[in-house]
Coordinates of all heavy atoms in Angstrom, one line a residue:
R253 N 103.8 110.4 70.1 CA 103.1 111.6 70.0 C 102.8 112.2 71.3 O 102.4 111.5 72.2 CB 101.8 111.4 69.2 CG 102.1 111.0 67.8 CD 100.8 110.8 67.0 NE 99.7 111.5 67.5 CZ 98.5 111.3 67.1 NH1 98.2 110.4 66.2 NH2 97.5 112.0 67.6
S254 N 102.9 113.5 71.4 CA 102.7 114.2 72.7 C 101.3 114.2 73.2 O 101.0 114.4 74.3 CB 103.3 115.6 72.7 OG 102.6 116.3 71.7
D255 N 100.3 114.1 72.2 CA 98.9 114.2 72.6 C 98.3 112.8 72.9 O 97.1 112.7 73.0 CB 98.1 114.9 71.6 CG 98.2 114.2 70.2 OD1 99.1 113.4 70.0 OD2 97.4 114.5 69.4
E256 N 99.1 111.8 73.0 CA 98.6 110.4 73.1 C 98.9 109.9 74.5 O 100.0 110.0 75.0 CB 99.3 109.6 72.0 CG 98.6 108.3 71.7 CD 99.2 107.6 70.5 OE1 99.1 108.2 69.4 OE2 99.8 106.6 70.7
A257 N 98.0 109.3 75.1 CA 98.2 108.7 76.4 C 99.0 107.4 76.2 O 98.9 106.7 75.2 CB 96.8 108.3 77.0
I258 N 99.8 107.2 77.3 CA 100.7 105.9 77.2 C 100.1 104.9 78.2 O 99.8 105.2 79.3 CB 102.1 106.3 77.7 CG1 102.7 107.3 76.7 CG2 103.0 105.0 77.8 CD1 104.1 107.8 77.2
A259 N 99.9 103.7 77.7 CA 99.3 102.7 78.5 C 100.4 102.1 79.3 O 101.0 101.1 79.0 CB 98.7 101.6 77.6
L260 N 100.7 102.7 80.4 CA 101.8 102.3 81.3 C 101.2 101.7 82.6 O 100.3 102.3 83.2 CB 102.6 103.5 81.7 CG 103.8 103.3 82.6 CD1 104.8 102.3 82.0 CD2 104.4 104.6 83.0
E261 N 101.5 100.5 82.8 CA 101.0 99.8 84.0 C 101.7 100.2 85.3 O 102.9 100.4 85.2 CB 101.1 98.3 83.8 CG 100.5 97.5 85.0 CD 100.5 96.0 84.8 OE1 101.1 95.6 83.8 OE2 100.0 95.3 85.7
G262 N 101.0 100.3 86.3 CA 101.7 100.5 87.7 C 101.1 99.5 88.6 O 100.2 99.9 89.4
A263 N 101.5 98.3 88.6 CA 100.9 97.2 89.3 C 100.8 97.5 90.8 O 99.9 97.1 91.5 CB 101.6 95.9 89.1
C264 N 101.8 98.2 91.4 CA 101.8 98.4 92.9 C 101.3 99.8 93.2 O 101.3 100.1 94.4 CB 103.2 98.1 93.4 SG 104.3 99.5 93.1
E265 N 100.8 100.5 92.3 CA 100.2 101.8 92.5 C 101.2 102.8 93.2 O 100.9 103.4 94.2 CB 98.9 101.7 93.2 CG 97.9 100.9 92.5 CD 96.5 100.8 93.2 OE1 96.5 101.1 94.4 OE2 95.6 100.3 92.6
A266 N 102.4 102.8 92.7 CA 103.5 103.7 93.1 C 104.0 103.4 94.5 O 104.5 104.4 95.1 CB 103.0 105.1 93.0
S267 N 103.9 102.2 95.0 CA 104.4 101.9 96.3 C 105.8 101.4 96.3 O 106.3 100.8 97.3 CB 103.5 101.0 97.1 OG 103.4 99.8 96.4
L268 N 106.5 101.4 95.1 CA 107.9 100.9 95.0 C 108.0 99.5 95.3 O 108.9 99.0 96.0 CB 108.8 101.8 95.8 CG 109.2 103.2 95.2 CD1 110.0 104.0 96.2 CD2 109.9 103.0 93.9
A269 N 107.0 98.7 94.8 CA 107.1 97.2 95.0 C 107.0 96.5 93.7 O 106.8 95.2 93.7 CB 105.9 96.8 95.9
C270 N 107.2 97.1 92.6 CA 107.3 96.5 91.3 C 108.2 97.3 90.4 O 108.7 98.3 90.8 CB 105.9 96.3 90.7 SG 105.2 97.8 90.0
S271 N 108.3 96.8 89.1 CA 109.0 97.6 88.2 C 108.2 97.7 86.9 O 108.8 98.0 85.8 CB 110.4 97.0 87.9 OG 110.3 95.7 87.4
T272 N 106.9 97.6 87.0 CA 106.1 97.6 85.8 C 105.9 99.0 85.2 O 105.5 99.1 84.0 CB 104.6 97.1 86.1 OG1 104.1 97.9 87.2 CG2 104.6 95.6 86.5
C273 N 106.3 100.0 85.9 CA 106.2 101.4 85.4 C 107.6 101.8 84.9 O 107.8 103.0 84.6 CB 105.7 102.3 86.5 SG 106.9 102.4 87.9
H274 N 108.5 100.9 84.6 CA 109.8 101.2 84.1 C 109.7 102.0 82.8 O 109.0 101.6 81.9 CB 110.6 99.9 83.9 CG 111.9 100.1 83.2 ND1 112.4 99.1 82.4 CD2 112.8 101.1 83.2 CE1 113.6 99.5 81.9 NE2 113.8 100.7 82.4
V275 N 110.4 103.1 82.7 CA 110.4 103.9 81.5 C 111.9 104.3 81.2 O 112.7 104.3 82.2 CB 109.6 105.2 81.6 CG1 108.1 104.9 81.7 CG2 110.1 106.1 82.8
I276 N 112.2 104.5 80.0 CA 113.5 105.0 79.6 C 113.4 106.4 79.1 O 112.6 106.7 78.2 CB 114.1 104.0 78.5 CG1 114.1 102.6 79.0 CG2 115.4 104.5 78.0 CD1 114.3 101.5 77.9
L277 N 114.2 107.2 79.7 CA 114.1 108.7 79.4 C 115.2 109.1 78.5 O 116.3 108.4 78.4 CB 114.2 109.5 80.7 CG 113.2 109.2 81.8 CD1 113.6 109.9 83.1 CD2 111.8 109.4 81.3
D278 N 115.0 110.2 77.8 CA 116.1 110.8 77.0 C 117.1 111.4 78.1 O 116.7 111.7 79.2 CB 115.6 111.9 76.1 CG 114.9 113.0 76.8 OD1 113.8 112.9 77.2 OD2 115.6 114.0 77.0
Q279 N 118.4 111.5 77.7 CA 119.4 111.9 78.6 C 119.1 113.2 79.2 O 119.4 113.4 80.4 CB 120.8 111.9 77.9 CG 122.0 112.2 78.8 CD 122.2 111.0 79.7 OE1 122.3 109.9 79.3 NE2 122.2 111.3 81.0
E280 N 118.6 114.2 78.5 CA 118.4 115.5 79.0 C 117.4 115.5 80.1 O 117.6 116.1 81.2 CB 117.9 116.4 77.9 CG 117.7 117.9 78.3 CD 117.3 118.7 77.1 OE1 117.6 118.5 76.0 OE2 116.5 119.7 77.4
T281 N 116.3 114.8 79.9 CA 115.3 114.6 80.9 C 115.8 113.9 82.2 O 115.6 114.3 83.3 CB 114.0 113.9 80.4 OG1 113.5 114.6 79.3 CG2 113.0 113.8 81.5
F282 N 116.5 112.9 81.9 CA 117.1 112.1 83.0 C 118.0 113.0 83.9 O 117.9 112.9 85.1 CB 117.9 110.9 82.5 CG 118.5 110.0 83.5 CD1 117.8 109.0 84.1 CD2 119.8 110.2 84.0 CE1 118.3 108.2 85.1 CE2 120.4 109.4 85.0 CZ 119.6 108.4 85.5
D283 N 118.8 113.8 83.2 CA 119.7 114.7 84.0 C 119.0 115.8 84.8 O 119.5 116.3 85.8 CB 120.7 115.4 83.0 CG 121.7 114.4 82.5 OD1 121.8 113.3 83.0 OD2 122.3 114.7 81.4
R284 N 117.8 116.1 84.4 CA 117.0 117.2 85.1 C 116.4 116.7 86.4 O 116.0 117.4 87.2 CB 115.8 117.7 84.2 CG 116.2 118.6 83.1 CD 115.0 119.1 82.5 NE 115.4 120.0 81.4 CZ 114.6 120.2 80.3 NH1 113.4 119.7 80.3 NH2 115.0 121.0 79.4
L285 N 116.1 115.4 86.5 CA 115.4 114.8 87.6 C 116.4 114.6 88.8 O 117.6 114.5 88.7 CB 114.9 113.4 87.3 CG 113.8 113.4 86.2 CD1 113.5 111.9 85.8 CD2 112.6 114.2 86.5
D286 N 115.8 114.6 90.0 CA 116.5 114.3 91.2 C 117.0 112.9 91.1 O 116.4 112.1 90.4 CB 115.6 114.5 92.5 CG 115.3 115.9 92.7 OD1 116.0 116.8 92.3 OD2 114.2 116.2 93.4
E287 N 118.0 112.6 91.9 CA 118.5 111.2 91.9 C 117.4 110.3 92.4 O 116.6 110.6 93.3 CB 119.7 111.1 92.9 CG 120.9 111.9 92.5 CD 121.7 111.3 91.4 OE1 121.9 110.0 91.5 OE2 122.1 112.0 90.5
P288 N 117.4 109.0 91.9 CA 116.4 108.1 92.4 C 116.8 107.7 93.8 O 117.9 107.7 94.2 CB 116.5 106.9 91.4 CG 117.9 107.0 90.8 CD 118.2 108.5 90.8
S289 N 115.7 107.3 94.5 CA 115.9 106.9 95.9 C 116.5 105.5 95.9 O 116.5 104.8 94.8 CB 114.6 106.8 96.7 OG 113.8 105.8 96.1
E290 N 117.1 105.0 97.0 CA 117.6 103.7 97.1 C 116.5 102.7 96.8 O 116.8 101.6 96.1 CB 118.2 103.5 98.5 CG 119.1 102.3 98.5 CD 119.9 102.2 99.8 OE1 120.4 103.3 100.3 OE2 120.0 101.1 100.4
D291 N 115.3 102.9 97.3 CA 114.2 101.9 97.0 C 113.9 101.9 95.5 O 113.7 100.8 95.0 CB 113.0 102.4 97.8 CG 113.1 102.1 99.3 OD1 113.9 101.3 99.7 OD2 112.3 102.7 100.0
E292 N 113.9 103.0 94.9 CA 113.7 103.0 93.4 C 114.8 102.2 92.7 O 114.6 101.4 91.8 CB 113.6 104.4 92.9 CG 113.3 104.5 91.4 CD 113.2 105.8 90.8 OE1 113.1 106.8 91.5 OE2 113.1 105.9 89.5
E293 N 116.1 102.5 93.1 CA 117.2 101.8 92.5 C 117.1 100.3 92.7 O 117.4 99.5 91.8 CB 118.5 102.3 93.0 CG 118.8 103.7 92.5 CD 120.2 104.2 92.9 OE1 120.8 103.6 93.8 OE2 120.6 105.2 92.3
D294 N 116.6 99.9 93.8 CA 116.4 98.4 94.1 C 115.4 97.8 93.2 O 115.6 96.7 92.6 CB 116.0 98.2 95.5 CG 117.1 98.4 96.6 OD1 118.3 98.5 96.1 OD2 116.8 98.5 97.8
M295 N 114.3 98.5 92.9 CA 113.3 98.0 92.0 C 113.8 98.1 90.6 O 113.5 97.2 89.8 CB 112.0 98.8 92.1 CG 111.1 98.5 93.3 SD 110.6 96.7 93.2 CE 111.3 96.0 94.6
L296 N 114.5 99.1 90.2 CA 115.1 99.2 88.8 C 116.0 98.0 88.6 O 116.1 97.5 87.5 CB 115.8 100.5 88.6 CG 114.9 101.7 88.3 CD1 115.7 103.0 88.4 CD2 114.3 101.6 87.0
D297 N 116.7 97.5 89.6 CA 117.6 96.4 89.4 C 116.8 95.2 89.0 O 117.4 94.3 88.4 CB 118.3 96.1 90.7 CG 119.4 97.1 91.0 OD1 119.8 97.8 90.1 OD2 119.9 97.1 92.2
L298 N 115.5 95.1 89.2 CA 114.7 94.0 88.8 C 114.0 94.2 87.5 O 113.3 93.3 86.9 CB 113.6 93.7 89.9 CG 114.1 93.5 91.3 CD1 112.9 93.4 92.3 CD2 115.0 92.2 91.3
A299 N 114.2 95.4 86.9 CA 113.5 95.7 85.6 C 114.2 95.0 84.5 O 115.4 94.9 84.5 CB 113.4 97.2 85.4
T300 N 113.4 94.7 83.5 CA 114.0 94.2 82.2 C 114.4 95.4 81.4 O 113.9 96.5 81.5 CB 113.0 93.3 81.4 OG1 111.8 94.1 81.2 CG2 112.6 92.1 82.2
C301 N 115.4 95.1 80.5 CA 115.8 96.1 79.5 C 116.3 97.4 80.2 O 116.1 98.5 79.7 CB 114.7 96.4 78.5 SG 113.9 95.0 77.7
L302 N 117.0 97.2 81.3 CA 117.5 98.4 82.1 C 118.5 99.2 81.2 O 119.4 98.6 80.6 CB 118.1 97.9 83.4 CG 118.4 99.0 84.4 CD1 117.1 99.6 84.9 CD2 119.2 98.3 85.6
T303 N 118.4 100.5 81.3 CA 119.4 101.4 80.6 C 120.0 102.3 81.6 O 119.5 102.5 82.8 CB 118.8 102.1 79.4 OG1 118.0 103.2 80.0 CG2 118.0 101.2 78.6
S304 N 120.9 103.1 81.2 CA 121.5 104.1 82.1 C 120.6 105.3 82.3 O 120.8 106.1 83.2 CB 122.9 104.6 81.5 OG 122.7 105.2 80.3
T305 N 119.5 105.4 81.6 CA 118.6 106.5 81.8 C 117.2 105.9 82.2 O 116.2 106.6 82.0 CB 118.4 107.4 80.5 OG1 118.0 106.6 79.5 CG2 119.7 108.1 80.2
S306 N 117.2 104.8 82.8 CA 115.9 104.2 83.2 C 115.5 104.8 84.5 O 116.3 105.1 85.4 CB 116.1 102.7 83.5 OG 116.2 102.0 82.2
R307 N 114.2 104.9 84.7 CA 113.5 105.4 85.9 C 112.2 104.6 86.1 O 111.6 104.1 85.1 CB 113.3 106.9 85.9 CG 114.5 107.8 85.9 CD 115.3 107.6 87.2 NE 114.6 108.0 88.4 CZ 114.7 109.1 89.0 NH1 115.5 110.1 88.5 NH2 114.0 109.4 90.1
L308 N 111.7 104.7 87.3 CA 110.3 104.2 87.5 C 109.4 105.4 87.3 O 109.5 106.4 87.9 CB 110.2 103.6 88.9 CG 111.0 102.4 89.2 CD1 110.7 101.9 90.6 CD2 110.7 101.3 88.2
G309 N 108.5 105.2 86.3 CA 107.6 106.3 85.9 C 106.8 106.8 87.0 O 106.5 108.1 87.1
C310 N 106.4 106.0 88.0 CA 105.5 106.5 89.1 C 106.3 107.4 90.0 O 105.6 108.1 90.8 CB 104.9 105.3 89.8 SG 106.2 104.4 90.8
Q311 N 107.6 107.5 89.9 CA 108.4 108.3 90.8 C 108.8 109.6 90.2 O 109.3 110.5 90.8 CB 109.7 107.6 91.2 CG 109.4 106.3 92.0 CD 108.5 106.5 93.2 OE1 108.9 107.2 94.1 NE2 107.4 105.8 93.3
I312 N 108.3 109.8 88.9 CA 108.6 111.1 88.3 C 107.4 112.1 88.5 O 106.3 111.7 88.1 CB 108.8 110.9 86.7 CG1 110.0 109.9 86.5 CG2 109.0 112.2 86.0 CD1 110.2 109.5 85.1
I313 N 107.7 113.2 89.1 CA 106.7 114.2 89.3 C 106.7 115.1 88.1 O 107.8 115.8 87.8 CB 106.9 114.9 90.6 CG1 106.9 113.9 91.7 CG2 105.9 116.1 90.8 CD1 107.3 114.5 93.1
L314 N 105.7 115.1 87.4 CA 105.6 116.0 86.1 C 105.5 117.4 86.5 O 104.9 117.8 87.5 CB 104.4 115.6 85.3 CG 104.4 114.1 84.8 CD1 103.2 113.8 84.0 CD2 105.7 113.9 83.9
S315 N 106.2 118.2 85.7 CA 106.2 119.7 85.9 C 106.3 120.3 84.5 O 106.6 119.6 83.5 CB 107.4 120.1 86.8 OG 108.6 119.9 86.1
K316 N 106.1 121.6 84.5 CA 106.2 122.3 83.2 C 107.6 122.2 82.6 O 107.7 122.1 81.4 CB 105.9 123.8 83.5 CG 105.5 124.6 82.3 CD 104.1 124.3 81.9 CE 103.7 125.3 80.7 NZ 102.6 124.8 80.0
E317 N 108.6 122.1 83.5 CA 110.0 121.9 83.0 C 110.2 120.7 82.2 O 111.1 120.6 81.4 CB 110.9 121.9 84.2 CG 111.0 123.2 84.9 CD 111.9 123.1 86.2 OE1 112.1 122.0 86.6 OE2 112.2 124.2 86.7
L318 N 109.4 119.7 82.5 CA 109.5 118.4 81.8 C 108.7 118.3 80.5 O 108.7 117.3 79.8 CB 109.2 117.2 82.7 CG 110.1 117.1 83.9 CD1 109.6 115.9 84.8 CD2 111.5 116.9 83.5
E319 N 107.9 119.3 80.2 CA 107.1 119.3 79.0 C 108.0 119.0 77.8 O 109.1 119.6 77.6 CB 106.4 120.6 78.8 CG 105.3 120.6 77.8 CD 104.5 121.8 77.8 OE1 103.9 122.2 78.9 OE2 104.4 122.6 76.8
G320 N 107.6 118.1 76.9 CA 108.3 117.7 75.8 C 109.3 116.6 75.9 O 110.0 116.2 75.0
M321 N 109.4 116.1 77.2 CA 110.3 115.0 77.4 C 110.0 113.8 76.6 O 108.8 113.5 76.3 CB 110.4 114.6 78.9 CG 109.2 113.9 79.4 SD 109.3 113.7 81.2 CE 108.4 112.3 81.4
E322 N 111.0 113.0 76.2 CA 110.8 111.8 75.5 C 110.9 110.6 76.4 O 111.8 110.5 77.2 CB 111.8 111.6 74.4 CG 111.7 112.6 73.3 CD 112.6 112.4 72.1 OE1 113.0 111.2 71.9 OE2 113.0 113.4 71.4
V323 N 109.8 109.8 76.3 CA 109.7 108.6 77.2 C 109.6 107.3 76.3 O 108.8 107.3 75.4 CB 108.5 108.6 78.1 CG1 108.4 107.4 78.9 CG2 108.6 109.9 79.0
T324 N 110.4 106.4 76.5 CA 110.3 105.1 75.8 C 110.0 104.0 76.7 O 110.5 103.9 77.8 CB 111.7 104.8 75.1 OG1 112.1 105.9 74.3 CG2 111.6 103.5 74.3
L325 N 109.1 103.2 76.3 CA 108.8 102.0 77.1 C 109.7 100.9 76.7 O 109.9 100.6 75.6 CB 107.3 101.6 76.9 CG 106.2 102.6 77.2 CD1 104.8 102.0 77.1 CD2 106.4 103.1 78.7
P326 N 110.1 100.1 77.7 CA 111.0 99.0 77.4 C 110.2 97.9 76.6 O 109.0 97.8 76.7 CB 111.4 98.4 78.8 CG 110.4 98.9 79.7 CD 109.9 100.2 79.1
A327 N 110.9 97.1 75.9 CA 110.2 96.0 75.1 C 109.5 95.0 76.0 O 108.5 94.5 75.5 CB 111.3 95.3 74.2
Y328 N 110.0 94.8 77.2 CA 109.3 93.8 78.1 C 109.2 94.5 79.5 O 110.0 95.3 79.8 CB 110.2 92.6 78.2 CG 110.5 91.9 76.9 CD1 111.7 92.1 76.3 CD2 109.6 91.0 76.4 CE1 112.0 91.5 75.1 CE2 109.9 90.4 75.2 CZ 111.1 90.7 74.5 OH 111.3 90.0 73.3
S329 N 108.3 94.0 80.2 CA 108.2 94.3 81.6 C 108.0 93.1 82.4 O 107.5 92.1 81.9 CB 107.1 95.4 82.0 OG 105.9 94.8 81.8
K330 N 108.4 93.1 83.7 CA 108.3 92.0 84.6 C 107.2 92.3 85.6 O 107.3 93.3 86.2 CB 109.6 91.7 85.3 CG 109.8 90.4 85.9 CD 111.1 90.3 86.7 CE 112.3 90.4 85.8 NZ 113.5 90.4 86.5
N331 N 106.2 91.5 85.7 CA 105.1 91.7 86.6 C 104.9 90.5 87.5 O 104.3 89.5 87.1 CB 103.9 92.1 85.8 CG 102.8 92.6 86.7 OD1 102.8 92.3 87.9 ND2 101.8 93.3 86.2
F332 N 105.4 90.6 88.7 CA 105.3 89.5 89.6 C 103.8 89.4 90.1 O 103.4 88.4 90.6 CB 106.1 89.7 90.9 CG 107.6 89.8 90.5 CD1 108.3 91.0 90.7 CD2 108.2 88.6 90.1 CE1 109.6 91.0 90.4 CE2 109.6 88.7 89.8 CZ 110.3 89.9 90.0
Y333 N 103.1 90.4 89.9 CA 101.7 90.5 90.4 C 100.7 89.7 89.5 O 99.8 89.0 90.0 CB 101.2 91.9 90.5 CG 99.9 92.2 91.2 CD1 99.7 91.7 92.5 CD2 98.9 93.0 90.6 CE1 98.6 91.9 93.1 CE2 97.8 93.2 91.3 CZ 97.6 92.7 92.6 OH 96.4 92.9 93.2
V334 N 100.9 89.7 88.2 CA 100.0 89.1 87.3 C 100.2 87.6 87.3 O 99.2 86.8 87.4 CB 100.2 89.6 85.9 CG1 99.4 88.8 84.9 CG2 99.8 91.1 85.8
R335 N 101.3 87.1 87.1 CA 101.6 85.7 86.9 C 101.2 84.8 88.0 O 100.4 83.9 87.8 CB 103.0 85.5 86.5 CG 103.4 86.2 85.2 CD 102.8 85.6 84.0 NE 103.3 86.3 82.8 CZ 102.5 86.8 81.9 NH1 101.2 86.8 82.1 NH2 102.9 87.5 80.9
P336 N 101.7 85.0 89.2 CA 101.5 84.0 90.3 C 100.0 83.8 90.7 O 99.6 82.8 91.0 CB 102.3 84.5 91.5 CG 103.2 85.5 90.9 CD 102.6 86.1 89.7
C337 N 99.2 84.9 90.6 CA 97.9 84.8 91.1 C 96.8 84.8 90.0 O 95.6 84.8 90.3 CB 97.6 85.8 92.2 SG 97.6 87.5 91.5
N338 N 97.2 84.9 88.8 CA 96.4 84.9 87.6 C 95.4 86.2 87.6 O 94.4 86.2 87.0 CB 95.5 83.7 87.5 CG 96.4 82.5 87.0 OD1 97.4 82.7 86.3 ND2 96.1 81.3 87.5
F339 N 95.8 87.2 88.4 CA 95.0 88.4 88.4 C 95.5 89.2 87.2 O 96.7 89.3 86.9 CB 95.2 89.2 89.6 CG 94.6 90.5 89.6 CD1 93.2 90.6 89.8 CD2 95.3 91.7 89.4 CE1 92.6 91.9 89.8 CE2 94.7 92.9 89.4 CZ 93.3 93.0 89.6
C340 N 94.6 89.8 86.4 CA 95.0 90.4 85.1 C 94.5 91.9 85.1 O 93.5 92.2 84.6 CB 94.4 89.7 83.9 SG 95.1 88.0 83.8
P341 N 95.3 92.8 85.7 CA 94.9 94.2 85.6 C 95.1 94.7 84.2 O 96.0 94.1 83.5 CB 95.9 94.9 86.5 CG 97.1 94.0 86.6 CD 96.6 92.6 86.4
K342 N 94.4 95.7 83.8 CA 94.6 96.2 82.4 C 96.0 96.8 82.4 O 96.5 97.3 83.4 CB 93.5 97.3 82.2 CG 92.2 96.7 82.1 CD 91.2 97.9 81.8 CE 89.8 97.2 81.8 NZ 88.7 98.2 81.6
P343 N 96.7 96.8 81.3 CA 96.2 96.4 79.9 C 96.5 94.9 79.6 O 96.4 94.5 78.5 CB 97.1 97.3 79.0 CG 98.4 97.4 79.8 CD 98.0 97.4 81.2
H344 N 96.9 94.1 80.6 CA 97.1 92.7 80.3 C 95.8 92.0 80.0 O 94.9 92.0 80.8 CB 97.8 92.0 81.5 CG 99.2 92.5 81.7 ND1 100.2 91.9 81.2 CD2 99.6 93.5 82.5 CE1 101.3 92.5 81.6 NE2 101.0 93.5 82.3
T345 N 95.8 91.3 78.8 CA 94.5 90.6 78.5 C 94.7 89.2 78.1 O 93.8 88.4 77.9 CB 93.9 91.3 77.3 OG1 94.8 91.4 76.2 CG2 93.4 92.7 77.6
N346 N 96.0 88.8 78.0 CA 96.3 87.4 77.6 C 97.0 86.5 78.6 O 97.7 85.6 78.2 CB 97.1 87.5 76.3 CG 98.4 88.1 76.5 OD1 98.6 88.8 77.6 ND2 99.4 88.0 75.6
C347 N 96.8 86.8 79.9 CA 97.4 85.9 80.9 C 96.4 84.9 81.4 O 95.3 84.9 81.1 CB 98.0 86.7 82.0 SG 96.9 87.8 82.8
Ligands
FES185 FE1 105.2 99.9 91.1 FE2 105.9 102.2 90.1 S1 104.0 101.3 90.0 S2 107.0 100.9 91.4

């Protein structure tokens, strides 16, 4: 639903050091965006459930043109930050 917030984690706070903000876009939206940077592509390579229209959500700058875009969250995400140090940022509650 368009009026609902998405609980998307960004463990590295948009510093391109994780892939927890991995999203899957519809083809039309994907084609509208600028090409991902090499750093973004490197992080996407580490994402689970990667698709041809995957992007890192923190690198997408929202604009009026993107209104109505469809975003799908992958079934799994990989978070190097949570597991090794037992730090549990929201929304993780069971680690
Ligand atoms: Fe880490 Fe987007 S929040 S790359």
